[in-house]
Structures are given as structure tokens and as C-alpha cells.
């Protein structure tokens, strides 16, 4: 069963006022055979893992590790049906990156959120 959804999942941050951790919005698109399967968007704190599940056939875990040069390392684990992909990306903020593995394609866009 294919899931066609756009999901905005917000991770609850440790404190509503004055948190110091950097926060990132990660926009992802997942394709199988060129067809969009899911497009989750998640807010995540730096260096903290977040995960989500959509239906019975899709789960997604990711961690954003910021670098000093306006880039971040993104470590992912994506399970679609019974296939698990574990790509890691180094991405520039605000620029989409993608990877194709067999019939699966994953695109990712990381943006910094100001914490003031």
C-alpha cells in the first residue's frame, strides 16, 4: 500500500522558553519507481534523533549534526515496506540533496530555524 501524504511532525522541544539547542526543519521526499510515496517535514534539535511512522509500511529516523561550515551531516534510516535504507548526507543549508538506491529515491532539504 502506497502512502501519499504530506506530514508535518513537530518534535516537542525541551522547553518552550529560552532553549539553546539549534533547531532544524528537515523536508524529505521519498519516491519508489519515480512515484512519490511520502513527504514528511519534521523539526529536530541538533544532535538528537527523531523518528516517525506513517501507516504500517513507512518509518523514518533521522539525526542532524551541524558542522562549522554552513553544512550539516544528516544520518537517516528509512523503512518502506520491508526494505530499509540507511543513507547519510552532508548537506548545505537550504540546498536539496538526493540519493537513489535501486528503485528508491530520497531527497532532503535542511533549513536552520532561528531560536531567539
Amino acid at each position: 500500500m502506497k502512502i501519499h501524504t504530506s506530514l508535518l511532525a513537530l518534535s516537542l522541544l525541551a522547553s518552550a522558553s529560552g532553549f539553546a539547542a539549534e533547531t532544524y526543519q528537515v523536508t524529505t521526499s521519498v519516491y519508489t519507481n519515480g512515484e512519490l510515496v511520502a513527504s514528511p517535514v519534521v523539526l529536530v534539535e541538533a544532535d538528537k534523533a527523531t523518528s516517525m511512522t506513517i501507516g504500517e509500511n513507512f518509518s523514518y529516523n533521522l539525526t542532524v549534526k551541524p558542522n562549522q561550515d554552513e553544512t550539516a551531516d544528516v544520518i537517516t534510516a528509512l523503512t518502506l515496506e520491508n526494505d530499509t535504507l540507511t543513507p547519510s548526507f552532508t548537506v548545505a543549508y537550504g540546498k536539496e540533496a538526493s540519493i537513489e538506491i535501486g528503485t528508491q529515491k530520497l531527497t532532503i532539504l535542511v533549513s536552520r530555524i532561528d531560536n531567539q
Side-chain angles (χ1 to χ4, degrees), residues 98-111:
S98 66
I99 188 168
E100 289 187 51
I101 302 172
T103 61
Q104 310 292 329
K105 179 179 179 181
L106 176 68
T107 65
I108 196 162
L109 175 69
V110 177
S111 302

Side-chain angles (χ1 to χ4, degrees), residues 7 9 26-30 38-42 44 49-55 57-64 74-80 84-87 89 106-110:
L7 173 70
V26 181
T27 304
T28 306
S29 295
V30 180
S39 55
V41 177
V42 65
V44 61
T50 190
S51 63
M52 70 181 74
T53 301
I54 302 171
N57 298 319
F58 180 85
S59 66
Y60 185 50
N61 302 304
L62 70 94
T63 304
V64 175
V74 181
I75 296 98
T76 67
L78 169 72
T79 301
L80 182 61
T84 299
L85 307 173
T86 56
F89 296 84
L106 176 68
T107 65
I108 196 162
L109 175 69
V110 177

Side-chain angles (χ1 to χ4, degrees), residues 9-22:
L10 300 177
S11 298
L12 296 177
L13 303 175
S15 170
S17 62
F19 54 85
E22 291 183 54

